[in-house]
Amino acid sequence: MITFMKNIKMTYTKYTLVALFLCFFFLGQAQKFGHINSQELLVNMQEIKTADEQLLAYQKQLEDEFVTKGQAFEEEYKAFVERANSGDFPQIQLQKEQEALAVKQQNLQNLQSQSQQKILQKREELYAPVLKLVEDAVQAVGKEQEYTMIFDSSLGVMLHGDESKDVSALVKAKLSM
């Protein structure tokens, strides 16, 4: 029985030593960290400049539509005020025109908020492929260069950078910039 207990103790000690060795081995592996400033990278990308130009053109188109409708509303409102001040029109007719103008004004306000949402949707639509391109490039650099983690310094998530390498040049090369 004593021999059996010694064998169990010896086996337990061996497994403990193996487990400790594995822990030290994995902890001893060098962790490689990198960082990139994605804002700086995106600002310098031609794809983003093109997307911005397209977005500005789309925004101008929506603004022009809004201005045109706004001017038409203003002209109708001025004509209404002149008719109301002339006293030549029945009160019921003026009230109906006023209600119609209120509806048109509400429609203009709705158009403005819809335009803002359309611009945000268009921005997401134009930026999504570029952001995916950058994400894929960062992932590829991370795998090729065996980085454990790559942080985005433009988001302020990096608290300490002594052991971190700026991988912007590698990502730019991957993007052919």
Side-chain angles (χ1 to χ4, degrees):
M1 179 89 167
I2 295 177
T3 310
F4 177 71
M5 292 297 276
K6 281 185 177 180
N7 285 341
I8 289 179
K9 190 174 181 182
M10 191 79 143
T11 305
Y12 177 74
T13 305
K14 285 180 186 177
Y15 286 124
T16 303
L17 288 173
V18 169
L20 283 173
F21 173 75
L22 288 174
C23 285
F24 285 123
F25 175 76
F26 287 116
L27 288 175
Q29 292 289 331
Q31 303 254 337
K32 197 171 174 184
F33 298 103
H35 65 272
I36 186 170
N37 185 328
S38 65
Q39 294 299 321
E40 182 181 304
L41 178 70
L42 289 171
V43 166
N44 293 317
M45 289 183 69
Q46 184 58 45
E47 292 89 344
I48 288 292
K49 292 175 184 173
T50 302
D52 285 342
E53 290 169 3
Q54 291 174 355
L55 187 62
L56 284 173
Y58 183 69
Q59 184 175 356
K60 179 152 177 33
Q61 174 189 351
L62 293 176
E63 284 175 1
D64 289 347
E65 177 185 348
F66 180 76
V67 167
T68 301
K69 289 183 179 185
Q71 288 172 343
F73 173 78
E74 269 187 51
E75 289 173 16
E76 283 184 56
Y77 180 75
K78 285 179 184 176
F80 167 76
V81 169
E82 286 178 14
R83 283 193 300 279
N85 289 337
S86 73
D88 295 338
F89 292 92
Q91 190 65 27
I92 294 175
Q93 183 181 356
L94 290 175
Q95 188 175 0
K96 285 181 182 179
E97 285 184 39
Q98 186 176 14
E99 290 171 2
L101 284 171
V103 168
K104 288 181 181 182
Q105 184 178 22
Q106 182 63 46
N107 289 343
L108 270 176
Q109 290 171 346
N110 290 342
L111 179 64
Q112 186 176 26
S113 76
Q114 289 171 357
S115 293
Q116 290 170 350
Q117 287 187 346
K118 286 179 180 179
I119 290 168
L120 289 175
Q121 288 173 341
K122 187 70 165 179
R123 184 179 190 275
E124 288 178 26
E125 175 188 317
L126 292 170
Y127 278 34
V130 180
L131 295 175
K132 177 73 172 128
L133 193 68
V134 171
E135 180 184 347
D136 290 347
V138 169
Q139 293 293 328
V141 166
K143 287 179 183 171
E144 290 169 8
Q145 301 294 320
E146 298 179 350
Y147 280 96
T148 305
M149 290 182 202
I150 296 177
F151 299 95
D152 188 348
S153 61
S154 68
L155 299 175
V157 293
M158 186 169 49
L159 300 176
H160 182 69
D162 281 352
E163 296 181 26
S164 176
K165 180 182 179 199
D166 187 354
V167 296
S168 299
L170 296 170
V171 173
K172 285 180 182 180
K174 187 62 70 179
L175 292 168
S176 302
M177 289 179 61

